[in-house]
Amino acid sequence: MDFGLLGTVRAGDDAGAACPVPQGRLRNLLAALLVHADTVVSVDVLVSSVWEEKQVPRRPREALQVMVVRLRKCLGPEVGARLTSIRPGYRLQVRPGELDLHRFEQLLHRGSAALATQDWSTARDLLGRALACWRGDPLADVGPGTALDRTVDTLGGLRLRAQRQLVEARLRLGDHAELVDEIAALVNGHPFDEQLRAQLMLALHGCGRRAEALEAFQSARRIFAEELGIEPGAELCELHQALLAGGPHLPERGQPTASAPGPRPTQGVGPHARPAQLPAGLPDFTGRSHAAEQLEVQLAKVTGIWARGPLVLSAIDGAGGIGKTSLAVHVAHRVAAMFPDGQLHADLHGAGGRPAEPGEVLARFLRGLGVPPEQVPGDLEERGALYRTTLATRRVLVLLDNVRDAAQVRPLLPGTATCAVLITSRSSLPGLDGAFRLTLDFLGPDEARELFTHIVGADVVAAEPDATREVLRICSGLPLAVRIAAGRLGTRPGGTVGELARRLADARLRLDELAVEDRAIRATFAVSYHDLPDDQARAFRLLSVDAAPSITTPAAAALLGVPVGEARRILDALLGIHLLQSPERDRYRFHDLLRLFAAECAQADETSAERDAALHRLLRWYLHRSAAASRSLNPVRRHVTLDAPASGWEPLDFDDSEQALGWLEAERPNLVTAVSQATQGGLHEIGWKLPIVLWDLFSLRSWQDDGVECNENALVSAERLGDREATAWVLNSLSSAYQGVGRLTDAVDCLARALEIRVESGDLRGQGSCLINLGYVYTEMGRPAEAIALLDRALVIFEEMGLTHAVGAVLTNLAFAHQRHGDDRTALRHHERALAIHQDTSNDYSVGREVANMAGALFRLGRLDEAADYAARGVETNRVTGNQADEGFALDVLGQVHAARGHHSLARRHWQDACAVLDAVGHPHAAEIRTRLATTL
């Protein structure tokens, strides 16, 4: 992909085709996300960037959610997937080199560094390449009046800085004559920029046009007086005096000019000592190239001849073992030349142990800066004042490692913009104002492999690629784990990667294996754990009893037995120190190795009864919340009876079926895991009931593989309870799952067993349900006559019981059976009766399904106009209810109608839409439609 901000806002693929993001608010949203690419942008920032202040909607968060969905569609599935919801807003992932602003910033940083070291030729080349990234004015197609106005100003300032620096480099190289017109054009655009006017005077003087150089000063003086009522600044006036006196000293190449002094020489002793306290960098440091470049760009803000601005603070946060210190030291060494007055370093021991006192660190820094020990004040405030005074005229990099919180670091901040501070912490340091924050994520597969290969050697990795992948999968992208695993391999003579993978495969021993000498994953995690307050430590432990991939705040509140607000506070605290991750807003998860450590802590510090109670609370909550979703999606079907919900749970009901289905979809992996945990943990009532209430999810989304897994577990639970009624419920549900995956014989066996139990118990309604499903399966098996006989029996049962909605369901299945029997007219009559029933009972979901069925029946009877009307209605109705399967069927019928009329382009379009909808839920009917696409002109 190629993203652009330096001109019009754009997102285009590698072939140059632009993604169709409409101009206006959607383009503003893309611009705001790109400006903050790879960082989480809060909802408030995005709202202020999308809407003018007076036009913000009443419910901006909801409006923004809709816009994010639209933007994902515009960007396409691959790039749209990079736009994720993460508390407190959204993040758009941009890979290295994809965004023109990033390319520009990196080149500008490297050019600034070359300028600081007086490498004029390199500076000229790099800065020229940086400016070539620009296609015009920044964000040129974003309308004024939003917070993006400030971004436009900032980007314009960066561009001007690069232009100034390029002019400086070329002046040093003697390109005076070629520069005059270029600088004059810049001055016209920025008439009050004194640096540009000084450079114009130098260029004119350098090519022998002294009189014009003097006139350039007088012109500046007149404009400043008329427009601003001030005189030019001291530097411009000094240059003017130098010209009057015969001209400034114009140096040979590589020498500083009078208007731009180079780095100041320093002394090695006394008050001007040059500290060099950086720890040694890792010789095998790999990866993190984009993060390193981002930090270098920030630190480079203190360089440059005309650099101005606040103190540069860059804070790296992340989990223990993520590589914060390694990255910080690596970057510090790379930018050391920008800080000719030295580098200070301190480990503040913020994670575990005894955190360093700021006063002690200040005393050490002052001594390193040349202050005699006897002149170091005893008072903290006085030490801080002397520290800031000592640094006021120096360019020094301060590396503060392992910071506990903002209060610990504030006294150690210089007071001058010529210095920069690089901070690492397990906390995100929310109280540290004005910092550029960089949260380190876990290594991707390629970076992890690169690091492992660098340590053990390419030949070792090449010899066992599968074993290497398995070791790296187990390490889960944690750099410390990768290093330890590689180190373990090196300590065993003749050891192989395969042997290492086998040792790490046992989760119970994994943390024991991931230890070598003074490095150990368990010890690294324990540092954070032992510092936790009691409520956070308890939550950290108990969350590990949930085997699901993630957990939401309400679910965690149920598991912990606390109010939702308290759970959110605890979860966010654990997230803040990276003991939890948040893949999206209001959802949390463990890193794989942290989950193992948390489980160890739970085994050691929680009783078995406490662990079991926590799991039971969570699974009960999942059952009740899922049942509420099922009632919202299908209020008329028969639902299992549940006990009363726990007091203190938030309201479980949903506003509408769309919200209910959205929740079920989002929780699908957790719910499947919950069923398995319930069965394995002996919570058998939950184990059999939860799959029953999930029937609608599996059916609507054609996720019957999950249905099979869950209902087979449910059958185990029902049979262990010895509950015949529960067994019948599960067998009926399991038959639907088997039918959905094509296991029709197994479906018949389940229904036969369920029907036998229902007959024994005299459950007429249950018998009718079995007969409906058995009739449907027989229809699918090509046995429509037998299906009709069974369905007629079910129809009698439900009509006698007065269960109108069930009658509608039977009629639908009868219609399909008659269709398979070759009687389309009878099938249509049954569909018409079923539709009337669903309309009378206001069952929108069933109405949508039946409208799509009617469209198909009418098409088969050759009634094309009616078929098209019903199909169009079916598309809209099923889209509203979230029934994608029948939306896809209705689109298919529309395509067939147009094909029958010879409108092949329209037919193809509808069939393509149908495939997209059906593919989204994994429905096999998409394959049949693709066959039509392949054979239609």
Side-chain angles (χ1 to χ4, degrees):
M1 288 297 294
D2 179 29
F3 296 101
L5 291 170
L6 307 182
T8 55
V9 178
R10 71 181 303 273
D13 58 28
D14 294 335
C19 296
V21 180
Q23 191 167 343
R25 289 174 181 151
L26 212 58
R27 191 82 60 94
N28 283 31
L29 175 59
L30 175 61
L33 290 164
L34 288 174
V35 166
H36 305 282
D38 285 332
T39 59
V40 179
V41 194
S42 72
V43 168
D44 290 341
V45 169
L46 290 174
V47 168
S48 66
S49 299
V50 170
W51 287 278
E52 297 179 38
E53 186 174 356
K54 295 181 180 180
Q55 296 178 345
V56 175
R58 284 194 310 112
R59 302 176 69 183
R61 186 179 297 274
E62 288 79 359
L64 190 65
Q65 288 173 342
V66 173
M67 292 188 66
V68 168
V69 172
R70 289 179 57 203
L71 182 57
R72 287 193 183 114
K73 290 182 178 178
C74 291
L75 294 175
E78 181 180 350
V79 180
R82 301 196 213 167
L83 175 49
T84 54
S85 170
I86 304 175
R87 180 187 295 271
Y90 296 89
R91 179 178 70 182
L92 178 59
Q93 180 192 8
V94 173
R95 294 169 183 158
E98 287 186 334
L99 178 60
D100 58 4
L101 176 58
H102 287 172
R103 297 193 296 270
F104 166 73
E105 287 180 326
Q106 290 157 15
L107 290 164
L108 174 59
H109 150 63
R110 293 167 59 195
S112 298
L115 202 66
T117 57
Q118 303 181 10
D119 186 352
W120 317 125
S121 296
T122 300
R124 177 189 60 191
D125 294 342
L126 290 169
L127 293 166
R129 288 168 56 195
L131 288 167
C133 295
W134 287 74
R135 295 172 285 111
D137 293 333
L139 282 66
D141 50 352
V142 170
T146 70
L148 290 173
D149 289 349
R150 295 191 295 274
T151 300
V152 171
D153 293 340
T154 300
L155 294 178
L158 279 175
R159 185 184 196 182
L160 181 58
R161 175 186 166 193
Q163 289 169 325
R164 289 168 175 164
Q165 291 187 347
L166 178 57
V167 168
E168 179 67 28
R170 292 177 63 187
L171 282 173
R172 307 259 190 176
L173 292 167
D175 297 342
H176 303 102
E178 296 88 341
L179 279 170
V180 170
D181 290 341
E182 295 178 28
I183 303 173
L186 289 172
V187 168
N188 286 336
H190 306 278
F192 305 113
D193 190 302
E194 295 193 35
Q195 180 187 357
L196 289 174
R197 290 191 175 274
Q199 290 176 327
L200 178 58
M201 292 163 65
L202 283 170
L204 288 166
H205 176 80
C207 60
R209 297 159 66 176
R210 180 167 174 267
E212 292 177 71
L214 292 170
E215 173 53 31
F217 174 79
Q218 295 302 329
S219 175
R221 190 172 188 178
R222 285 192 301 272
I223 290 174
F224 285 16
E226 292 171 2
E227 300 292 334
L228 305 177
I230 60 173
E231 288 289 320
E235 291 175 337
L236 204 58
C237 290
E238 289 172 7
L239 178 57
H240 178 239
Q241 290 301 317
L243 286 168
L244 290 172
H249 168 63
L250 295 178
E252 299 295 328
R253 295 189 181 187
Q255 298 299 316
T257 67
S259 65
R264 181 179 57 262
T266 58
Q267 301 175 18
V269 295
H272 297 291
R274 182 183 184 277
Q277 299 179 357
L278 294 179
L282 288 173
D284 53 9
F285 182 89
T286 54
R288 305 293 193 199
S289 57
H290 184 48
E293 288 167 351
Q294 285 183 290
L295 289 168
E296 289 181 50
V297 167
Q298 294 301 315
L299 295 173
K301 290 180 179 178
V302 303
T303 66
I305 298 164
W306 302 86
R308 296 288 187 271
L311 175 69
V312 174
L313 294 175
S314 297
I316 309 169
D317 65 275
I322 201 72
K324 301 179 294 294
T325 299
S326 299
L327 174 62
V329 171
H330 175 73
V331 169
H333 279 290
R334 283 175 57 165
V335 302
M338 300 180 197
F339 300 91
D341 294 318
Q343 305 87 40
L344 297 168
H345 168 264
D347 183 348
L348 300 189
H349 302 288
R354 186 177 72 87
E357 292 294 333
E360 297 174 1
V361 178
L362 281 172
R364 181 155 29 105
F365 280 178
L366 286 169
R367 292 193 297 270
L369 291 166
V371 177
E374 64 274 11
Q375 294 182 19
V376 174
D379 179 74
L380 175 62
E381 291 188 10
E382 291 182 2
R383 284 183 185 179
L386 180 58
Y387 170 68
R388 291 188 292 274
T389 300
T390 305
L391 291 178
T393 59
R394 304 190 192 190
R395 190 178 294 165
V396 172
L397 174 64
V398 182
L399 173 54
L400 302 174
D401 193 19
N402 199 7
V403 168
R404 182 182 183 85
D405 52 31
Q408 187 187 30
V409 80
R410 283 195 193 100
L412 305 176
L413 301 180
T416 174
T418 61
C419 293
V421 182
L422 187 55
I423 298 167
T424 73
S425 177
R426 295 194 183 192
S427 166
S428 57
L429 303 177
L432 188 62
D433 297 329
F436 168 77
R437 288 180 170 82
L438 180 67
T439 299
L440 285 192
D441 205 345
F442 296 91
L443 296 176
D446 292 340
E447 287 186 316
R449 182 184 178 89
E450 181 184 1
L451 175 58
F452 189 77
T453 303
H454 203 91
I455 298 171
V456 304
D459 53 339
V460 174
V461 170
E464 298 180 275
D466 293 339
T468 297
R469 278 191 292 272
E470 179 61 15
V471 168
L472 296 178
R473 184 194 64 78
I474 291 170
C475 291
S476 302
L478 187 66
L480 181 60
V482 175
R483 287 187 175 278
I484 291 174
R488 292 282 302 209
L489 188 63
T491 60
R492 291 176 178 253
T496 65
V497 184
E499 179 189 354
L500 175 63
R502 286 189 291 275
R503 295 202 308 272
L504 293 173
D506 189 340
R508 297 168 299 176
L509 303 176
R510 189 168 298 157
L511 296 183
D512 293 328
E513 289 290 337
L514 289 174
V516 58
E517 294 186 343
D518 61 341
R519 288 177 171 176
I521 294 297
R522 183 182 285 111
T524 297
F525 293 161
V527 168
S528 294
Y529 172 66
H530 291 312
D531 276 352
L532 291 175
D534 289 345
D535 58 346
Q536 294 176 30
R538 173 179 178 267
F540 177 73
R541 296 189 297 267
L542 288 181
L543 286 168
S544 70
V545 306
D546 176 24
S550 65
I551 193 167
T552 61
T553 304
L559 182 148
L560 298 173
V562 300
V564 170
E566 184 178 347
R568 180 173 287 110
R569 176 187 60 78
I570 292 171
L571 293 170
D572 283 345
L574 294 173
L575 177 66
I577 56 174
H578 301 283
L579 288 177
L580 287 177
Q581 299 170 280
S582 180
E584 58 185 85
R585 190 170 182 271
D586 205 38
R587 188 174 294 276
Y588 304 84
R589 69 184 180 198
F590 276 117
H591 181 270
D592 290 347
L593 295 176
L594 266 168
R595 182 187 289 277
L596 291 177
F597 177 74
E600 287 187 353
C601 294
Q603 288 286 337
D605 299 333
E606 299 283 350
T607 65
S608 174
E610 289 168 330
R611 297 193 302 272
D612 291 345
L615 180 60
H616 187 224
R617 289 192 297 268
L618 173 67
L619 298 184
R620 277 190 69 223
W621 184 86
Y622 275 136
L623 174 61
H624 280 271
R625 184 69 164 156
S626 300
S630 176
R631 288 192 298 272
S632 180
L633 287 171
N634 200 343
V636 297
R637 84 173 176 92
R638 190 180 189 184
H639 295 278
V640 293
T641 302
L642 304 182
D643 60 357
S647 61
W649 282 354
E650 283 193 343
L652 295 169
D653 292 335
F654 295 88
D655 293 340
D656 51 40
S657 60
E658 183 179 359
Q659 185 187 47
L661 183 57
W663 182 84
L664 286 169
E665 288 179 311
E667 294 299 312
R668 170 191 172 192
N670 296 340
L671 295 170
V672 172
T673 302
V675 172
S676 175
Q677 282 199 274
T679 299
Q680 293 175 10
L683 301 174
H684 293 307
E685 184 174 0
I686 297 174
W688 81 261
K689 287 183 176 180
L690 184 52
I692 301 300
V693 300
L694 294 178
W695 181 88
D696 296 285
L697 172 67
F698 300 145
S699 176
L700 280 172
R701 288 294 177 257
S702 301
W703 289 335
Q704 295 297 4
D705 286 331
D706 286 345
V708 169
E709 178 185 343
C710 288
N711 281 288
E712 286 181 344
N713 274 319
L715 188 59
V716 172
S717 285
E719 290 176 340
R720 287 182 180 173
L721 286 172
D723 188 331
R724 295 275 286 170
E725 182 181 0
T727 301
W729 269 97
V730 174
L731 287 168
N732 203 358
S733 183
L734 180 58
S735 73
S736 293
Y738 279 152
Q739 183 271 327
V741 297
R743 294 170 59 177
L744 300 183
T745 301
D746 290 335
V748 170
D749 290 343
C750 286
L751 288 166
R753 290 177 58 194
L755 183 58
E756 181 183 348
I757 296 171
R758 296 298 192 190
V759 170
E760 287 177 2
S761 65
D763 181 358
L764 277 177
R765 184 172 181 177
Q767 293 173 42
S769 296
C770 291
L771 290 169
I772 290 177
N773 291 337
L774 195 54
Y776 185 82
V777 175
Y778 277 165
T779 300
E780 290 291 293
M781 296 176 77
R783 298 160 63 179
E786 296 169 83
I788 291 169
L790 294 170
L791 291 167
D792 283 339
R793 287 171 55 193
L795 186 61
V796 171
I797 290 173
F798 289 130
E799 285 179 336
E800 289 179 351
M801 295 183 72
L803 295 175
T804 307
H805 62 276
V807 170
V810 176
L811 289 169
T812 297
N813 285 3
L814 267 171
F816 284 126
H818 281 287
Q819 175 195 323
R820 284 292 185 93
H821 207 251
D823 188 353
D824 285 319
R825 296 188 182 281
T826 302
L828 179 60
R829 288 198 299 272
H830 285 313
H831 280 314
E832 288 172 334
R833 284 187 62 197
L835 178 58
I837 288 172
H838 297 320
Q839 288 173 330
D840 288 344
T841 58
S842 300
N843 187 339
D844 292 340
Y845 174 82
S846 295
V847 166
R849 168 166 285 181
E850 206 57 55
V851 166
N853 292 337
M854 285 280 294
L858 289 164
F859 173 77
R860 286 187 296 275
L861 289 169
R863 295 159 63 176
L864 299 187
D865 290 344
E866 295 171 272
D869 290 342
Y870 273 94
R873 182 181 164 195
V875 171
E876 294 304 317
T877 306
N878 287 298
R879 188 170 291 165
V880 169
T881 62
N883 182 356
Q884 289 175 273
D886 286 299
E887 178 188 349
F889 289 138
L891 284 165
D892 180 20
V893 174
L894 272 178
Q896 292 184 70
V897 169
H898 285 296
R901 290 170 170 170
H903 303 153
H904 297 301
S905 61
L906 280 174
R908 292 183 63 83
R909 189 184 73 187
H910 288 304
W911 283 336
Q912 288 165 350
D913 289 345
C915 286
V917 171
L918 294 170
D919 284 341
V921 294
H923 201 288
H925 187 61
E928 182 179 333
I929 298 174
R930 284 196 175 85
T931 301
R932 291 200 197 100
L933 278 167
T935 57
T936 300
L937 295 178

